[in-house]
Amino acid sequence: MSDDEGMPRKALRTRRRVSFRRRLLRLTFYVLLLVAGIYAGGFLYFADSVASLQPPANPKADAIVVLTGGFQRIDQAVELLKTGAGRRLLISGVNPSTTGGQIRRNTQSSADLFKCCVDIGHDAMDTIGNANETANWIRNNKYRSILVVTNNYHMPRSLLELRRANPDIEFTAYPVVNSDLKSANWLTNPMVWKTILSEYAKLTIASVREALGAHRASGLRTDGGE
């Protein structure tokens, strides 16, 4: 005779419920452990991928767009414009309080260059806004190919959003290399680790949203952020 056969029905039902809960908790733990492992592996792959990104040797496109976030990016984009990598430059996501004159002086560029060939975009509030602001600029100028300048760790998400907003446009990545990622012990630097982890989380969310075809905000001030 088994133990279950000698037990009252109520006690048997209680025992089975406890056993089921234990199995469910154990399964949940293993699933969470698997998800955490996949996420950690994906993070390390992402970090290695962006650390390996290099600018093209001979960049050339109809025009250039730089996504703001530091003058290192803008300096690089202006230099590309000067060398003829593109006919025109959009600086997307500039703070409304920052003028074109201030940017020109910080990049030590000529007034003639900014007057003829540089557009300042103040509408974008985030990366999605950058993509939509760039899309409007591309349509107005009828460009077909764009050189994208931003930090290497920001490049994958930038290209994802830009291609979603501009599916028929050819985008070429021109990453501004973060020297901290070249170091073999970058994981021991809390600031770098936090930046890369945050960007990976944002890319994951953007990728899931893209896969589901979910609605997204415009990221533009002119739309009230809706």
Side-chain angles (χ1 to χ4, degrees):
M1 179 183 297
S2 67
D3 292 340
D4 288 352
E5 290 176 352
M7 295 178 64
R9 291 183 179 179
K10 185 176 180 181
L12 181 59
R13 287 196 298 268
T14 300
R15 179 175 177 178
R16 286 174 176 172
R17 281 198 298 269
V18 171
S19 177
F20 173 75
R21 289 171 183 168
R22 287 175 178 171
R23 290 196 300 270
L24 183 60
L25 286 172
R26 191 179 299 115
L27 177 61
T28 301
F29 171 76
Y30 287 134
V31 169
L32 291 175
L33 191 64
L34 177 63
V35 170
I38 293 173
Y39 193 81
F43 167 67
L44 292 175
Y45 176 80
F46 169 77
D48 182 66
S49 297
V50 298
S52 302
L53 286 176
Q54 293 295 325
N58 298 296
K60 191 69 178 178
D62 291 342
I64 307 162
V65 60
V66 56
L67 313 185
T68 55
F71 272 101
Q72 185 182 11
R73 304 182 191 182
I74 299 175
D75 283 338
Q76 187 64 73
V78 171
E79 186 61 30
L80 287 168
L81 179 66
K82 290 177 180 178
T83 58
R87 300 193 302 269
R88 196 168 188 86
L89 167 66
L90 169 65
I91 304 176
S92 174
V94 176
N95 190 293
S97 64
T98 302
T99 67
Q102 290 172 320
I103 295 174
R104 180 187 64 78
R105 288 189 293 273
N106 279 318
T107 59
Q108 298 181 346
S109 302
S110 69
D112 288 343
L113 178 69
F114 265 64
K115 184 177 180 180
C116 84
C117 306
V118 178
D119 296 313
I120 309 296
H122 291 102
D123 272 353
M125 298 185 293
D126 52 26
T127 303
I128 295 174
N130 289 141
N132 287 322
E133 186 171 58
T134 301
N136 294 334
W137 182 71
I138 288 172
R139 282 193 295 270
N140 291 339
N141 292 281
K142 297 180 171 58
Y143 294 134
R144 301 301 303 168
S145 60
I146 300 293
L147 196 61
V148 182
V149 181
T150 189
N151 281 88
N152 51 357
Y153 59 81
H154 187 229
M155 187 62 73
R157 184 162 61 97
S158 299
L159 291 176
L160 175 69
E161 299 294 1
L162 284 164
R163 287 168 177 158
R164 180 175 180 177
N166 309 267
D168 299 323
I169 304 301
E170 177 188 350
F171 291 100
T172 300
Y174 194 97
V176 176
V177 177
N178 186 320
S179 59
D180 290 333
L181 285 178
K182 291 183 177 181
S183 172
N185 62 346
W186 65 266
L187 276 171
T188 63
N189 187 324
M191 292 302 296
V192 177
W193 190 89
K194 181 179 178 181
T195 298
I196 301 302
L197 183 59
S198 173
E199 187 58 38
Y200 177 62
K202 291 175 184 178
L203 176 62
T204 300
I205 294 170
S207 299
V208 171
R209 187 180 61 239
E210 172 76 5
L212 297 177
H215 172 74
R216 60 178 190 169
S218 74
L220 296 175
R221 290 186 175 85
T222 50
D223 289 345
E226 298 180 1

